[in-house]
Amino acid sequence: MAKLGIDLGTSNTLVAKLDADGNPDIIEIDGEDMMPSVICIEEDGEHKTFGHQALGLWEDGHLPEKTFIF
C-alpha cells in the first residue's frame, strides 16, 4: 500500500510519499518540489492547468475569473 501525503498550503503545495525505509520522499512536479497552490479551469471545464503554469496564465490576465489561488 502506498502512503502519500499532500500539504495543500495557502501559497504552495507539496506532495510526498514514504520510501521503503519509511522516510518521506518529496515528489517533484514539473521539476520542482513545491508548486504554487493555483488552478485554472478552462471554459469547457475539461482542461485544467495548475501550479506554475496556472500562476503564469493568471499573471498574464488569462481567464482570471476561472483561476483559483488558494
Side-chain angles (χ1 to χ4, degrees):
M1 176 194 305
K3 304 220 182 208
L4 184 70
I6 301 172
D7 175 10
L8 181 59
T10 55
S11 298
N12 293 294
T13 296
L14 179 75
V15 179
K17 63 178 179 151
L18 292 180
D19 66 15
D21 296 324
N23 297 312
D25 182 24
I26 296 173
I27 298 172
E28 289 188 2
I29 301 170
D30 292 334
E32 304 218 13
D33 58 0
M34 280 196 297
M35 68 176 186
S37 298
V38 181
I39 187 169
C40 178
I41 301 172
E42 296 286 337
E43 295 290 337
D44 62 7
E46 294 294 321
H47 295 89
K48 298 161 189 77
T49 307
F50 57 91
H52 293 284
Q53 188 175 6
L55 183 59
L57 290 172
W58 177 78
E59 290 172 340
D60 291 342
H62 179 74
L63 295 173
E65 72 282 359
K66 299 285 185 178
T67 302
F68 305 92
I69 302 174
F70 301 96

